[in-house]
Amino acid sequence: PEWMTVDDLMRYVRFFYPRWDQTKADDLLAQFDLPRQRKLKHLSRGMRMKAALASSLAFHPDLLILDEPFSGLDPLVRDEFVEGLVDSAGETAMLISSHDLAEIESFATHAGFLDQGRLRFSESLTDLSDRFREVQVTVDQVAPPSSGWPSHWLGVQTSPSVVRFVDSAFDADRMRQDVEGLFGPSARLDVSAMSLRAIFIALARQARRAA
């Protein structure tokens, strides 16, 4: 209700939650630097988001669901918002739907990829980052294999002397064996780690090609 002040909002919602913690509520308002006597309609979008988050965390929820929470927030407000989430992560499970993958990567523990309403995978960020690599192979002459590229090589691109792809099941020893089997021992191999955004783009493009 935009006619309420920040304090009005906190007093209003506290009666819905038996586990409301007024000390935590006060700490969150101070942490987010929220003007307690200002009406919600006079707050910026970022400040309103922080007020909503404070009212949601003050009762120690078991689960917090956020849909695109970072949209339209300036960098400082984003940092403060994320800090508030991280501070409560020990007691609250958080499910966040977002296209802001760089922000998610900074604090999320697990990620899932939804494509056309289907969950393609769900795993820890550690496992995900371990199994994806951008790979470039430099050879004297590229000759595509008659049986096709390995199935875990995504988005293979070739030029006369270079092959680029994303390995979605990276294993250093197997990679070297695959490359030498296809291109010979003289092939030069360059492997790079990938950000969550780069992994998402690779998977989205692969899903589009398969559609």
Side-chain angles (χ1 to χ4, degrees), residues 31-32 46 50 53 69-70 72-87 100 102-104 106-107:
Q31 176 183 345
F32 293 152
K50 289 194 291 185
L53 182 62
F70 311 112
L73 302 184
D74 66 52
L76 177 59
V77 173
R78 287 189 186 197
D79 283 350
E80 293 171 342
F81 195 90
V82 169
E83 183 180 345
L85 294 177
V86 171
D87 287 347
D100 195 336
E103 202 70 66
I104 292 296
S106 68
F107 67 92

Side-chain angles (χ1 to χ4, degrees), residues 6-196:
V6 172
D7 262 351
D8 289 338
L9 173 67
M10 302 299 277
R11 282 194 295 268
Y12 173 71
V13 299
R14 66 179 296 178
F15 294 105
F16 291 102
Y17 305 110
R19 292 193 297 180
W20 183 269
D21 182 341
Q22 188 58 44
T23 299
K24 184 173 179 64
D26 292 336
D27 289 344
L28 286 165
L29 293 181
Q31 176 183 345
F32 293 152
D33 195 25
L34 285 164
R36 302 177 68 133
Q37 300 307 315
R38 189 176 302 173
K39 291 185 177 181
L40 298 177
K41 66 181 178 181
H42 295 147
L43 298 179
S44 66
R45 182 180 185 281
M47 297 289 270
R48 287 198 300 270
M49 287 288 291
K50 289 194 291 185
L53 182 62
S55 70
S56 300
L57 293 176
F59 64 94
H60 304 280
D62 295 319
L63 174 65
L64 185 65
I65 300 175
L66 301 103
D67 183 23
E68 297 292 351
F70 311 112
S71 177
L73 302 184
D74 66 52
L76 177 59
V77 173
R78 287 189 186 197
D79 283 350
E80 293 171 342
F81 195 90
V82 169
E83 183 180 345
L85 294 177
V86 171
D87 287 347
S88 296
E91 63 182 9
T92 300
M94 299 181 187
L95 177 63
I96 301 175
S97 171
S98 178
H99 289 89
D100 195 336
L101 301 182
E103 202 70 66
I104 292 296
E105 190 173 19
S106 68
F107 67 92
T109 60
H110 291 69
F113 173 52
L114 282 170
D115 175 52
Q116 301 297 319
R118 297 180 60 188
L119 183 64
R120 300 297 182 178
F121 70 80
S122 177
E123 60 190 275
S124 74
L125 280 184
T126 299
D127 290 344
L128 189 63
S129 61
D130 283 347
R131 73 179 180 91
F132 275 86
R133 290 293 186 274
E134 287 182 325
V135 181
Q136 177 175 297
V137 183
T138 304
V139 295
D140 293 332
Q141 183 66 39
V142 173
S146 58
S147 60
W149 304 108
S151 60
H152 52 91
W153 290 13
L154 309 182
V156 178
Q157 298 177 327
T158 64
S159 65
S161 61
V162 175
V163 179
R164 295 184 181 89
F165 58 91
V166 170
D167 188 346
S168 63
F170 178 73
D171 177 271
D173 293 335
R174 182 178 64 181
M175 169 61 66
R176 172 53 64 183
Q177 292 173 2
D178 287 345
V179 168
E180 290 185 355
L182 289 168
F183 307 111
S186 63
R188 190 174 80 242
L189 186 62
D190 295 306
V191 179
S192 303
M194 300 177 66
S195 66
L196 182 59

